[in-house]
Amino acid sequence: GRQKKAKKGLLQILGEQYGPDAGTNPCFQGLREQFGLPEDATPTQMAAAVLSGGSPDDSNGAQLATPTRPGTGPTAALTPNAVHNMYTTMGNEEARGAPHKPVLQVLRLELEGNGFWCLDLSDGKNYLSGSLNPSLAHLVNDSTIEQYSTVRILEFVVEESPDNGGRYCLVYEAETAGPNPGRKIGDPFWLADDVVNRIVKMDRRATSHALEVFTQFDDNAEEAGSLMRHGVVDLLLAMIKRGFRADCMTIKEK
C-alpha cells in the first residue's frame, strides 16, 4: 500500500512539473542512465524503476542485481521461492536433480569453532541457515564465495536439528553464479516455517526474533504477516500461558 502511494506521488510530481513527456526531459538523463531506461521512458517506468531499485523490465523487482564492477555483466537472477522449496523437500533426490540447482545469495558467512563455514542463503524473499561442506572451504579461502556472493547450489541436503527443531542446509557442491553485486538483493527475512518450528522447540533465538518482528511491526509488516499466517501469534500466546501457569504452580508450592 505504501509503495502504491509513493508511486502515485512520483507520477503526480512528474506529470505536474514536466508533463507527459517527462521521460525525455534532459533533466532526467542521469536517472535514465542509472536504471538503464530508454530515452523515451514514460513517467510510469521512471517511477517503477526508482521504487524497485532496478529496471522496470525486471518483473521480479529485487530478484536481479547489478554488479558493482563495470563491464562484468549482470549477476544471475536468484531462483524464486527456492528457500521454501529446499526447506520442504529437504534436498531429496528429486530436489537435488538437474532441474533443481537454485541460485541463491550468501548473506552471512562465518567460521564456526568446529571448522565449518556457516552461512545464510537467500532467494531474495526468504533466507535459511546452512553450512558448507569442508571440501568447499577453498572457495571461501580464495574469496570465490564471500558475503553477498551469488552461488548456484549443485548438491545439497536439508536436515533437521535435534536441538532447536529448525532445519539447516548442508551444501556439498556449489559454484559462483556471477559477479558479487556488493549488496543484499531484495529484503529477505527468515523463513517463517523455520521460525515456527524452532519456537515449538522453545528455541530462544527464534522466539526473540519473532517478538522483535512484532515489536517493530511497521518496519517488518511483510514478515509479521507471514508469521501470523503460520500461526505464530497463537503459538507465542500459548507459550506465555504455559509459562504463567508454571509460575503460579511454583509460587503455590513455595
Side-chain angles (χ1 to χ4, degrees):
R2 288 196 294 268
Q3 181 143 334
K4 287 182 178 178
K5 291 180 181 178
K7 182 175 180 180
K8 183 178 180 182
L10 280 172
L11 290 174
Q12 184 176 355
I13 293 171
L14 289 169
E16 288 179 354
Q17 295 189 12
Y18 301 100
D21 298 325
T24 60
N25 192 296
C27 296
F28 294 100
Q29 181 178 354
L31 181 66
R32 290 196 299 270
E33 292 178 353
Q34 179 181 353
F35 292 104
L37 300 173
E39 290 292 330
D40 57 349
T42 65
T44 300
Q45 289 177 310
M46 296 173 68
V50 171
L51 291 172
S52 68
S55 169
D57 294 330
D58 297 341
S59 57
N60 289 328
Q63 300 299 322
L64 191 65
T66 302
T68 54
R69 292 170 290 176
T72 55
T75 298
L78 303 183
T79 304
N81 299 317
V83 168
H84 179 265
N85 293 337
M86 293 166 66
Y87 190 88
T88 54
T89 60
M90 296 188 68
N92 56 33
E93 290 304 317
E94 179 182 350
R96 289 165 59 182
H100 193 78
K101 295 180 180 178
V103 175
L104 302 172
Q105 184 179 37
V106 177
L107 297 185
R108 176 183 65 91
L109 187 62
E110 296 179 357
L111 182 62
E112 296 291 327
N114 56 10
F116 278 76
W117 281 99
C118 295
L119 68 172
D120 288 339
L121 295 169
S122 163
D123 60 12
K125 179 181 179 181
N126 296 121
Y127 66 81
L128 176 67
S129 296
S131 62
L132 294 175
N133 186 281
S135 63
L136 300 180
H138 67 280
L139 297 178
V140 180
N141 296 333
D142 64 14
S143 298
T144 299
I145 294 179
E146 53 190 356
Q147 187 180 31
Y148 301 135
S149 291
T150 55
V151 294
R152 182 173 289 102
I153 310 299
L154 303 176
E155 186 177 354
F156 70 93
V157 64
V158 176
E159 296 185 348
E160 290 190 0
S161 171
D163 300 324
N164 55 33
R167 296 178 184 178
Y168 56 95
C169 178
L170 293 175
V171 180
Y172 289 105
E173 188 175 352
E175 63 183 13
T176 182
N180 189 329
R183 62 179 177 86
K184 181 170 64 175
I185 300 175
D187 190 20
F189 51 82
W190 194 352
L191 185 67
D193 304 72
D194 195 50
V195 175
V196 171
N197 287 337
R198 289 170 181 263
I199 291 177
V200 171
K201 292 291 187 178
M202 305 292 288
D203 180 66
R204 182 179 181 86
R205 186 168 76 94
T207 304
S208 299
H209 176 81
L211 292 172
E212 183 179 351
V213 168
F214 289 109
T215 301
Q216 303 176 15
F217 188 90
D218 289 342
D219 296 329
N220 303 286
E222 185 177 357
E223 181 174 6
S226 179
L227 290 172
M228 291 172 69
R229 288 191 295 273
H230 283 74
V232 75
V233 174
D234 293 336
L235 181 60
L236 289 172
L237 289 175
M239 291 175 61
I240 293 172
K241 189 174 182 179
R242 287 199 302 269
F244 176 74
R245 287 179 175 174
D247 288 345
C248 288
M249 291 301 298
T250 301
I251 294 172
K252 185 177 180 180
E253 290 173 359
K254 288 183 177 180

